[in-house]
Amino acid sequence: MTREQIISEILNIFSREFEIEQPGLDNDLRETYEFDSVDAIELLLGIERFLKSELTHDEKKMAMEVRTINHIVDYVERLVRVREREAHQ
Amino acid sequence: MKGRRVVITACSAITPIGHTRAEIVDSLRRGVSGVKPLREDHLLSKFIHSQVFGTVDYPVDFDFRRTYRKTMGPVAYYACQVAKEVLDQAGLPPEFVTSGRLGVAFGSTHGSPTVQREIYKTFFGASQSEFRAIGAVDYLKSMVHTTAVNITKMFGITGRVISSSTACTTSSQSIGFGYETVKYGMQDAMLCGGADEYDTTTVAVFDNLMACSTAFNDRPRCTPRPFDRQRDGLVVGEGAGAVLLEEYEHARKRGAVILGEIAGFACNNNGGDLILPNRAGISETLRLGLEDAALRADDVDFVSAHATGTKMGDVIEAQAIHAVYGDGPFVTGLKGYMGHTMGSCGVIETILTLYMMQDGFIAPTLNLEESDERCAMIRHTLHLQEQPIRFASIQNFAFGGVNTNLLIKRFV
């Protein structure tokens, strides 16, 4: 899965779930779009559906650090790499 | 214990007989019913004997930003809409709204049943993926204080939160407890009310208890029939209402329009059966309300009876009214117009009484054509009366044996 594909899906989630269209990739989501902790939990559900894989408790805790779309994409890329590694073991 | 004077400086209601003041007053004057056929819900409706519902069948123009909408079920939409209208109408300074001196007393029967129904469907679904479909916000939409805290969030209110959830006395308690909070100085103003959304679960519960009307399924507007010989039970309804209670000097100093005054409040419990109406308990609430307001029984011109249209409830209430007031005040069962709007009935009936008090008329009990002889000892409002009201009593009683009596005074 490429970074562009992840960006595209994350933007889809933001549009569909949060009515936030084309957010700036480095904008602070809380300050710019009122993205809060409730949204963060909903986002994790969206990411689980996207990856068709449940996130572990530690993975979910890691997500609490994200502040921008680019942070989220970085986070999802890490999840994808972990799952690809696990699939090859 | 003497406290501060508490006045009403704004009100708004979404009811089966209208949303604006003009619509509601017109419905009361013309005898318009808001009871409609029960909607097909593809779950319970086909099993329910009572096929009528007090329905809000007009669109309400909700205009809330996503950040507020995301934690709201239908009941919170109603609650936030009437709260918004009340705050707009009151014109409180923005710095007061967020000062901590304004609180919220608001409730509903049980959060959002529409959202709860979806959660239960998921719980009893077969797969793990369905279980994970329960959203993070589902609890926030379905918890019993969802109306109160969605209001505080939307308007940045930082004062006290009271969230009564006592079925039919939910919003009369909201007003009563809000009144006491302002009266005794804990807050300078309280936004009080209640809401309940369209819900067939509630109908099914009362239907199973054989408390619902079934004989007028083909003529919805002819039921419920408070105090009438042909009454055959209650009609569940939906709606919302809010009032702003404000300490009198606070309201006067800012030049607020004062709509009415809270004269007194009482709340007690029957101390026994959770369902059966109790004449002693109800009579005592009525008496305690008069005592709190320092009024004599003959000071009260109008009684808004709880009067759900059930066989026994109306008889017991009529006996209690007679025991306390005799046959002096006009008595109207406002549920004849819209059914039993559950957690919102107390505040809606208070607002309707306030409108009648301001306009100098008393609406008759809709569908009361021939009084049950066991209810006939009180002064029923059988026809529209062009009649001033100085003091009114709004009575509400709930499952669990909870009784309330709110007394309001015309402000002159």
Side-chain angles (χ1 to χ4, degrees):
Chain A
M1 190 182 302
T2 66
R3 186 172 178 87
E4 285 66 35
Q5 286 173 317
I6 296 171
I7 291 175
S8 170
E9 180 55 27
I10 296 299
L11 293 183
N12 279 341
I13 293 173
F14 268 73
S15 171
R16 188 176 64 240
E17 302 292 336
F18 309 125
E19 299 172 21
I20 299 173
E21 303 293 343
Q22 296 300 320
L25 299 187
D26 290 310
N27 284 352
D28 186 292
L29 292 170
R30 175 177 282 277
E31 286 179 4
T32 315
Y33 304 108
E34 298 179 308
F35 188 88
D36 61 15
S37 57
V38 170
D39 296 322
I41 301 294
E42 290 290 320
L43 174 64
L44 289 178
L45 281 169
I47 291 172
E48 286 186 324
R49 289 191 195 106
F50 169 48
L51 298 180
K52 298 186 176 62
S53 168
E54 192 171 353
L55 303 184
T56 67
H57 193 64
D58 285 342
E59 285 175 333
K60 286 180 179 174
K61 282 208 286 193
M62 281 163 50
M64 296 301 120
E65 305 300 319
V66 301
R67 294 288 178 272
T68 67
I69 295 290
N70 268 329
H71 288 166
I72 295 167
V73 176
D74 294 343
Y75 170 73
V76 174
E77 272 191 322
R78 280 200 298 276
L79 296 174
V80 169
R81 278 200 300 273
V82 168
R83 277 149 185 75
E84 284 173 350
R85 244 191 342 261
E86 286 171 354
H88 287 104
Q89 282 172 354
Chain B
M1 185 167 35
K2 188 169 167 57
R4 308 188 298 174
R5 288 176 72 184
V6 180
V7 292
I8 304 168
T9 51
C11 67
S12 177
I14 296 170
T15 80
I17 59 167
H19 184 178
T20 66
R21 185 189 195 283
E23 288 165 354
I24 292 169
V25 168
D26 182 61
S27 294
L28 290 174
R29 282 190 169 275
R30 292 194 300 115
V32 174
S33 167
V35 177
K36 303 286 161 56
L38 189 72
R39 288 186 199 132
E40 168 65 62
D41 69 348
H42 305 291
L43 186 68
L44 295 172
S45 58
K46 62 179 175 291
F47 303 111
I48 296 172
H49 301 92
S50 179
Q51 289 292 311
V52 287
F53 197 93
T55 307
V56 175
D57 66 350
Y58 49 83
V60 179
D61 184 21
F62 302 113
D63 184 22
F64 305 140
R65 284 158 48 204
R66 178 199 74 91
T67 191
Y68 302 126
R69 279 187 276 122
K70 67 189 178 191
T71 52
M72 292 182 186
V75 71
Y77 273 83
Y78 273 170
C80 287
Q81 183 66 29
V82 290
K84 179 175 179 287
E85 290 167 4
V86 159
L87 289 175
D88 286 348
Q89 191 186 118
L92 289 169
E95 61 275 16
F96 176 76
V97 172
T98 56
S99 67
R101 296 302 297 166
L102 168 69
V104 172
F106 219 99
S108 59
T109 306
H110 38 200
S112 171
T114 307
V115 175
Q116 286 162 355
R117 186 178 286 192
E118 292 306 309
I119 292 173
Y120 289 132
K121 274 187 193 168
T122 307
F123 273 159
F124 295 108
S127 75
Q128 179 78 2
S129 63
E130 284 174 355
F131 177 73
R132 289 195 355 247
I134 297 174
V137 292
D138 287 349
Y139 174 68
L140 301 173
K141 293 177 180 175
S142 62
M143 59 193 186
V144 291
H145 56 311
T146 187
T147 55
V149 294
N150 272 292
I151 290 170
T152 59
K153 180 186 174 190
M154 181 174 286
F155 302 104
I157 297 170
T158 57
R160 288 190 166 210
V161 171
I162 300 169
S163 195
S164 161
S165 182
T166 53
C168 320
T169 49
T170 293
S171 58
S172 56
Q173 281 196 331
S174 294
I175 300 173
F177 296 159
Y179 158 69
E180 290 170 348
T181 303
V182 175
K183 180 178 181 180
Y184 297 117
M186 279 84 88
Q187 301 276 250
D188 292 324
M190 289 290 289
L191 201 166
C192 309
D196 261 316
E197 68 194 50
Y198 197 99
D199 173 38
T200 51
T201 318
T202 312
V203 188
V205 168
F206 284 106
D207 201 63
N208 282 343
L209 290 166
M210 293 185 289
C212 280
S213 172
T214 57
F216 299 89
N217 287 344
D218 58 340
R219 291 165 288 158
R221 66 183 174 79
C222 296
T223 189
R225 308 176 66 83
F227 302 118
D228 188 78
R229 284 184 69 174
Q230 291 188 66
R231 74 188 180 285
D232 73 325
L234 63 83
V235 174
V236 178
E238 63 178 325
V243 294
L244 185 73
L245 305 187
E246 204 170 339
E247 192 271 322
Y248 169 64
E249 286 299 329
H250 186 274
R252 191 185 62 76
K253 281 178 190 161
R254 71 179 187 88
V257 176
I258 295 173
L259 309 178
E261 180 168 358
I262 306 291
F265 175 71
C267 175
N268 74 349
N269 194 275
N270 294 333
D273 196 282
L274 298 187
I275 294 178
L276 292 177
N278 180 304
R279 180 182 155 179
I282 291 171
S283 302
E284 182 64 1
T285 319
L286 307 190
R287 194 191 63 72
L288 288 169
L290 288 173
E291 188 178 297
D292 186 58
L295 293 175
R296 295 189 326 235
D298 61 5
D299 289 325
V300 174
D301 316 291
F302 174 68
V303 171
S304 166
H306 188 60
T308 60
T310 57
K311 288 284 183 194
M312 280 313 297
D314 288 10
V315 173
I316 299 294
E317 183 171 8
Q319 290 173 344
I321 291 169
H322 188 256
V324 174
Y325 294 109
D327 59 359
F330 280 101
V331 178
T332 299
L334 290 164
K335 290 181 180 69
Y337 291 83
M338 66 191 87
H340 191 333
T341 57
M342 296 287 132
S344 62
C345 75
V347 66
I348 286 176
E349 288 159 13
T350 300
I351 292 169
L352 268 50
T353 300
L354 205 54
Y355 290 162
M356 292 191 287
M357 191 175 255
Q358 290 177 313
D359 288 6
F361 77 98
I362 299 175
T365 300
L366 195 63
N367 297 322
L368 174 53
E369 292 172 352
E370 190 180 354
S371 294
D372 181 330
E373 59 188 16
R374 295 168 298 168
C375 305
M377 74 294 270
I378 55 176
R379 189 181 189 186
H380 291 291
T381 319
L382 298 171
H383 308 286
L384 186 75
Q385 303 288 327
E386 299 297 340
Q387 161 99 21
I389 305 171
R390 291 167 305 148
F391 289 97
S393 159
I394 297 103
Q395 315 182 161
N396 294 102
F397 319 122
F399 270 10
V402 184
N403 308 308
T404 63
N405 182 18
L406 181 75
L407 288 127
I408 63 173
K409 178 186 176 187
R410 184 170 168 223
F411 191 85
V412 286

